[in-house]
Amino acid sequence: MKEKLRQLKLDFSQEIKKVKSPAELEAIENKYLSRKSGLLNNILRGLKEVAKEEVAEIGAFANELKQSIVEEIELLRHKLSSGGQSTSFDFTLPGNLPPIGHLHPITEAIREIASIFGGIGFQRQRYPEVDWDYYAFETLNMPGDHPARDEWETFFIDSKPIKMNLPANSQKLVEFGKRILTPHTSSGQVREMEKGKLPIRMMNLSKCYRRQMDVSHTPMFHQFEGLVIDKDINITHLKGTVDYFVKKFFGADRTIRLRPHHFQFTEPSFEVDISCGLCHGTGRSEDLPRQSGAEAGGGKCRMCKEGWLELAGAGMVHPNVLRAGGIDSQKYSGFAFGWGVERCYTMKAGLNIDDIRLLYKNDLRFNEQF
Ligand code: DAH
């Protein structure tokens, strides 16, 4: 049988040399490889009669032979279809470039923010995205029945409230409450304090979830939270840090102001405003027609109306929060801020997105514009 296969190999190599057209090639392909009547299979049908110990060797030989026939036929087919030349490919032609994408604008913003704060020593930390009520509210000076909680339209996980020992103090049994999807990055504050390492200069830049969906809200969004705790930390450190970020991220000509506000977890608390990039803090627009009754210098700025844009919250860490994290509030003080990435990004780009949900629709027609 091996002899027959060898003969077939010889015959094939003679015959294929004579092939001149695709039709002849097809004929020879059928002649040798056709499953029903091909010469190769005809021979292999006799494999049943071959002695057992030879079957493996002959089988392997036949396989190799078939492979080489197939390859020769394919090679010739390619040659014939390219007009008889060995190749029709012009290597000097410029190629078709595959479309090149880019990162999602929010991913780019996240990386930029992390790198700006990284430059002044804020280390990015990660905390659970599904966390306990304890870290998101209770330790942030918002006990169970506190009305301030309503502002955080929280997603609760269907779980039973539990009591656990504190990771930092195994003697202390506390109510951890229910599990929730973190409604703000502030849930990382006490978790960071519990690590027991001071001073702290952390950044929590993560996903947040709230039960809100309309043109200006998505149920998932991002915040970046900075927390600094050390001896003698005061408001000037907060102001300097925020100002540094705003100048790096929005531009050197921007300034900030702190407006008194209220958060349960900071005292004092502030709302940070940033000077408007369009009217440079004047609230007036030179390029708009003077409106009757408007102040001298043009019409009102269409972006901000009064020179400032509301950016986000910040404040000096409340002593109750420090205590909840096991830190002596007589010796240490700190500041914190927590801002929305999407808000900062759209403000920076001067984007007036009618519907913020577009950011997460995965619609390339939208994403490709950035
Ligand atoms: N967690 C607040 C929110 O989601 C934002 C915030 C305000 C964070 C003041 C802070 C802060 O750290 O000091 O609205």
Side-chain angles (χ1 to χ4, degrees), residues 285-300:
S285 174
E286 304 297 334
D287 59 327
L288 284 177
R290 197 177 292 236
Q291 290 165 357
S292 59
E295 291 171 51
K300 284 205 166 187

Side-chain angles (χ1 to χ4, degrees), residues 152 184 186 189 210 223 225 263 265-266 313-315 336-338:
W152 286 266
H184 56 174
S186 306
Q189 290 195 13
R210 288 188 201 173
Q223 282 187 342
E225 181 103 4
F263 295 105
F265 34 90
T266 43
F337 53 88

